[in-house]
Amino acid sequence: MAKTTNSARRSARVFASYAGLGDCYDELVHADGELRRDVVRVGRLLDDLGQAEFRRRQRLADAALLEGGITFSVYSDERGAEKIFPFDLIPRLVTARTWTKIERGLEQRVRALNAFLGDVYGRQMIFRELPVLEDLVLSSEGYLKSMRGIRPPLGVYIHVAGIDLVRRPDGAFVVLEDNLRVPSGVSYVLENRKVMKRVLPGIFHRAGVRSVSDYPARLKQVLASFPGAGTADDDIVLLTPGPFNSAYFEHTFLARRMGVPLVQGSDLFVERQRVYLKTTEGPKPVRVIYRRIDDAFLDPRAFNADSMLGVPGLVDAYRAGNVTLANAIGNGVADDKAVYAFVPEMIRFYLAEEPILGQVPTYLCLREKDRALVVDRLAELVVKRVDGSGGYGLTVGPMATKRELTALRRAVLADPRGFIAQPVVNFSTCPAFSGGRVAPRRVDLRPYVITGKSSWVLPGGLTRVALKKGSYVVNSSQGGGSKDTWVLRGRSS
C-alpha cells in the first residue's frame, strides 16, 4: 500500500482549507490561516480528527438530537411548528482569561440593572441624574406603573438573565442586548454538551472544558433560597403557557432536571392572597414560581382579561409578598432597546464603577438629531424595534431592498419612540459545517446569569450561529443554529 503523502494528510484535516472572512475577528484562525495561539492545542485535536470522520460524527450528533426531540417552534411557519434545532459539531472555544472578564462584566451589569429596576419601581432617583430616562421609562411598554412600590423578596428582580454578546473585529466581547423577562435557550446548552461528550469524548476530555451540568441544581438552589420557600418540591413550580409555546421543550426539560412540578395556569389557584397547587392529595401551597409566561398573561384580573394562561389573583398574592415570581413582574422596561443605551450610565450611577464590558453605540430615533441621522443612513445601519425579539422587528440596512428601506423610513418617522438604530457590527466568525465543507459563519453568545443573594454565571452559554452564508441573523426562528461553547480551563491568554 502506498504511503499517504503529507499533502494528502493535510487536505484531509478538518481545517485544511479554512480561512476567515477578513473583515472581522475569526475565533479560530489569524488572517494568514494559522491557528490562534490561545486555542491552538484544542484546534489541533479537532483538526487531526479529519474531515471524513468529523462528518460521520456530525451525523451521529444530528441523530442523537433527533432521537432526543430537541425542538423549537416557529409560529409563522405554515409547514408546521416543531423543528429540530440545527447543531454544528465544531465547538466554539473561549479561553479562561477571556471568560474571566466576561464573567465579571456580566455580574456587574446584572447588579446595575437590578438596581435600576428597584429604583424605577421605587424612588426613581436616576431620573434626577438622567432626565431623558424618565420619558423613556414611563413610555416603555415594559414599564408597569401598577408595580411601583412593590419590592420583591431580597430585592431581586432578575433571577435569570440571558445577556447577548458579540465579538468586535478587535476581538473584544460587547453586549448586544439584555434579556431579563423570560430568557430561553439554556436547555440547548445542556443538551448540546451532552451530545458533544458522547460524540467527541476523547477530544472533550483532553481539551479541559468547564462543566455546565449543574445549571438546574444552581437554579433550584437560588429559587429555594427566597423567604418562605421550604424544602418540599411543591413549594416551587415552573409555570408554562403549555405545549404550543416555542420553548415548551425547555420548560419540560428544566422542570424535570430541577425535580419540580411543571404546571399550567389551570393547575394553580389563589385563595386569601396565597397560591396553591391542585393535587390528588388536595391543595398544596406554592411559594416560588419560576414563570415562563409574559407579564401580560400572568393574571387576567390584573393585566390581559382574555388570558387563559395565567392565574386569577396571582398579582394580589405577589403584592402581599406571599409568592416569589422569577423573574419579577415589570422587568420588560430594562429589556427596552432604547433603555439599553443607558446601561453604562446605570453602572456609573448605581455602582460608582466603570463598565467592564462595552456595548454597541445606539441611536435613539426619539431624539430629533439621531432620527435625522438614522433616516438619512438607513442603508448603512441596523434598525430595531425597541420591543422586538427573536430576530423579528430587525432590519439590516445593507441587506435590505429599496422597498423595505422606504417602508422602514415611514415607520420610523411615524413612531420614532418605537425604534433604535446601531451601526453594523462585523461580529466574529467561527468555523461551521455548511454545504458539506467547513466555512466561516457569524456567531453570538448568550451566557446565563442566575441571581439570588449573589450571582453565578454559567461557564459558556448558548452560541448561536448564522448558518446561511453572509447572514448576520443567528436566531433559530430565522434559520440559525447552535454550537457548544467550550470555556477552557487553565492559564490561556
Side-chain angles (χ1 to χ4, degrees):
M1 182 182 292
K3 290 184 178 181
T4 304
T5 65
N6 288 338
S7 61
R9 285 198 300 268
R10 171 71 177 166
S11 65
R13 292 180 181 274
V14 174
F15 307 122
S17 58
Y18 180 77
L21 298 178
D23 63 345
C24 62
Y25 186 92
D26 188 90
E27 299 189 12
L28 183 73
V29 298
H30 293 285
D32 60 6
E34 291 296 314
L35 291 170
R36 293 189 178 277
R37 180 174 62 87
D38 51 6
V39 298
V40 66
R41 186 178 66 85
V42 181
R44 284 174 178 165
L45 290 174
L46 295 164
D47 204 23
D48 289 346
L49 196 62
Q51 292 186 11
E53 179 62 14
F54 215 92
R55 289 192 186 96
R56 186 183 76 83
R57 299 198 191 196
Q58 176 73 65
R59 291 193 293 271
L60 290 175
D62 292 341
L65 292 169
L66 182 64
E67 181 182 347
I70 316 303
T71 64
F72 68 99
S73 300
V74 179
Y75 298 127
S76 60
D77 194 331
E78 296 178 354
R79 295 170 296 178
E82 287 296 309
K83 293 182 177 295
I84 300 300
F85 197 19
F87 174 64
D88 184 74
L89 189 62
I90 301 174
R92 182 189 200 165
L93 308 177
V94 181
T95 66
R97 180 178 298 179
T98 298
W99 184 253
T100 296
K101 181 176 179 180
I102 290 172
E103 191 173 47
R104 289 175 52 237
L106 293 174
E107 290 172 351
Q108 178 194 59
R109 192 173 182 94
V110 169
R111 276 191 292 131
L113 285 164
N114 197 77
F116 168 73
L117 287 165
D119 188 20
V120 297
Y121 287 113
R123 298 175 63 187
Q124 302 183 336
M125 295 179 65
I126 199 169
F127 294 163
R128 303 171 197 171
E129 182 79 12
L130 294 171
V132 65
L133 258 181
E134 183 169 8
D135 288 339
L136 285 175
V137 166
L138 298 183
S139 63
S140 173
E141 289 189 6
Y143 183 68
L144 303 179
K145 296 179 182 178
S146 60
M147 293 296 105
R148 189 171 178 194
I150 300 175
R151 182 175 172 81
L154 304 181
V156 178
Y157 291 80
I158 308 166
H159 306 82
V160 181
I163 311 292
D164 292 346
L165 307 176
V166 293
R167 204 167 192 176
R168 297 184 313 209
D170 64 0
F173 277 93
V174 295
V175 177
L176 185 64
E177 63 182 54
D178 304 295
N179 299 281
L180 311 175
R181 287 172 289 182
V182 284
S184 63
V186 75
S187 60
Y188 302 120
V189 177
L190 303 179
E191 288 289 351
N192 288 352
R193 177 59 56 83
K194 184 168 71 173
V195 169
M196 292 294 276
K197 291 169 77 172
R198 285 175 57 187
V199 177
L200 296 176
I203 294 175
F204 181 86
H205 178 72
R206 293 171 65 188
V209 185
R210 289 185 60 183
S211 175
V212 297
S213 62
D214 56 347
Y215 179 92
R218 291 265 190 170
L219 177 56
K220 184 176 181 182
Q221 184 180 39
V222 164
L223 296 176
S225 70
F226 288 93
T231 57
D233 285 345
D234 289 346
D235 283 332
I236 304 169
V237 299
L238 193 156
L239 177 61
T240 176
F244 296 106
N245 184 263
S246 62
Y248 185 69
F249 166 80
E250 177 158 301
H251 304 166
T252 60
F253 176 91
L254 288 175
R256 184 172 64 251
R257 291 288 299 273
M258 288 194 291
V260 303
L262 178 70
V263 304
Q264 297 186 45
S266 57
D267 297 316
L268 303 175
F269 70 95
V270 176
E271 185 175 287
R272 296 181 181 178
Q273 298 184 332
R274 295 188 180 275
V275 183
Y276 295 90
L277 171 65
K278 302 172 186 175
T279 77
T280 55
E281 299 174 355
K284 293 193 174 180
V286 172
R287 311 198 196 287
V288 180
I289 299 176
Y290 177 38
R291 53 91 169 213
R292 299 299 295 261
I293 296 179
D294 289 336
D295 289 348
F297 302 99
L298 268 178
D299 182 345
R301 293 181 188 169
F303 302 122
N304 186 342
D306 296 326
S307 173
M308 302 293 290
L309 304 176
V311 184
L314 179 59
V315 170
D316 287 339
Y318 180 64
R319 285 179 187 278
N322 294 328
V323 66
T324 295
L325 295 178
N327 283 332
I329 301 175
N331 281 12
V333 64
D335 275 7
D336 189 304
K337 291 177 175 58
V339 173
Y340 155 93
F342 295 91
V343 176
E345 294 304 317
M346 295 177 198
I347 293 171
R348 297 184 183 102
F349 181 78
Y350 295 113
L351 308 182
E353 300 171 359
E354 283 300 308
I356 295 170
L357 295 174
Q359 61 181 56
V360 181
T362 301
Y363 301 107
L364 304 180
C365 294
L366 185 64
R367 289 175 171 166
E368 185 176 351
K369 183 179 178 181
D370 285 7
R371 183 167 64 253
L373 182 148
V374 169
V375 297
D376 187 53
R377 295 172 50 192
L378 283 176
E380 305 169 26
L381 300 170
V382 177
V383 180
K384 304 177 181 178
R385 289 208 62 90
V386 297
D387 57 353
S389 63
Y392 297 104
L394 177 151
T395 303
V396 181
M399 299 182 180
T401 65
K402 288 185 178 180
R403 188 172 185 177
E404 289 170 336
L405 293 176
T406 298
L408 179 61
R409 185 178 188 276
R410 285 198 298 266
V412 168
L413 292 174
D415 179 24
R417 172 62 179 86
F419 293 89
I420 57 98
Q422 297 169 330
V424 176
V425 179
N426 283 327
F427 54 90
S428 61
T429 54
C430 284
F433 266 117
S434 179
R437 65 199 262 309
V438 180
R441 293 291 183 264
R442 298 189 188 274
V443 290
D444 77 351
L445 177 63
R446 177 177 290 182
Y448 296 87
V449 186
I450 300 174
T451 300
K453 294 178 181 178
S454 61
S455 289
W456 175 79
V457 183
L458 179 71
L462 181 64
T463 285
R464 299 181 299 180
V465 52
L467 293 174
K468 296 179 182 177
K469 183 178 180 180
S471 176
Y472 285 78
V473 183
V474 299
N475 304 83
S476 55
S477 57
Q478 306 292 307
S482 70
K483 287 176 170 289
D484 193 14
T485 308
W486 288 9
V487 175
L488 305 178
R489 299 181 185 276
R491 300 177 60 187
S492 303
S493 57

